[in-house]
Amino acid sequence: MTINLGVVDLGQIDLLVQEGFYSNRTDLIRTAIRNQLTVHADEVKRTIARRTLVLGLQHLSRADLERALAAGEMLQIQVVGLARIADDVSPELARATIESVVVLGAFQASAAVRSALADRMR
């Protein structure tokens, strides 16, 4: 993540760090982000419920995808946090069982699976 700040804002951050309010620039930025997330927490919760998103970690194993395949189901991965597909999942199994991938946060999968799902990632 890159943040572009004006020199005055950056100077004020450095002043607060010098005065001991924060241990470093990152500490101030992390605190500011957490404060804003707290301010908007109710809206985030409502949006997650409305959009039926998974909050936190969603791990899909080969067995999970094989069960979906056997049931004739196509999965829609919608995560706020971390979505992870196990390393032993083949690109073919992923394409046969995953209809779409929407991740607000981080998505971990093998390069082959990521490539196989590239047209299904939003």
Side-chain angles (χ1 to χ4, degrees), residues 11 16 21 36-37 44 50-52 58 63 70-71 85 88 109 121:
L16 291 170
F21 289 96
Q36 285 301 299
L37 291 173
V44 169
R50 178 174 43 84
R51 292 176 55 187
T52 61
Q58 182 176 24
I85 298 176
D88 61 350
M121 296 174 69

Side-chain angles (χ1 to χ4, degrees), residues 19-108:
E19 293 298 311
F21 289 96
Y22 300 94
S23 58
N24 54 43
R25 291 174 175 174
T26 300
D27 184 31
L28 181 142
I29 293 165
R30 186 180 301 117
T31 300
I33 290 170
R34 286 182 181 148
N35 288 342
Q36 285 301 299
L37 291 173
T38 298
V39 166
H40 299 287
D42 289 339
E43 183 58 36
V44 169
K45 288 176 188 173
R46 283 192 296 276
T47 301
I48 287 170
R50 178 174 43 84
R51 292 176 55 187
T52 61
L53 301 168
V54 172
L55 178 62
L57 166 67
Q58 182 176 24
H59 175 78
L60 294 168
S61 67
R62 187 177 77 204
D64 294 330
L65 297 183
E66 288 171 345
R67 276 192 293 277
L69 184 63
E73 296 176 347
M74 290 294 286
L75 304 176
Q76 295 178 351
I77 300 170
Q78 299 184 92
V79 177
V80 175
L82 172 62
R84 181 172 44 210
I85 298 176
D87 290 337
D88 61 350
V89 170
S90 70
E92 297 78 20
L93 180 58
R95 282 199 62 83
T97 57
I98 298 173
E99 181 178 336
S100 63
V101 178
V102 177
V103 178
L104 303 170
F107 178 57
Q108 294 178 348

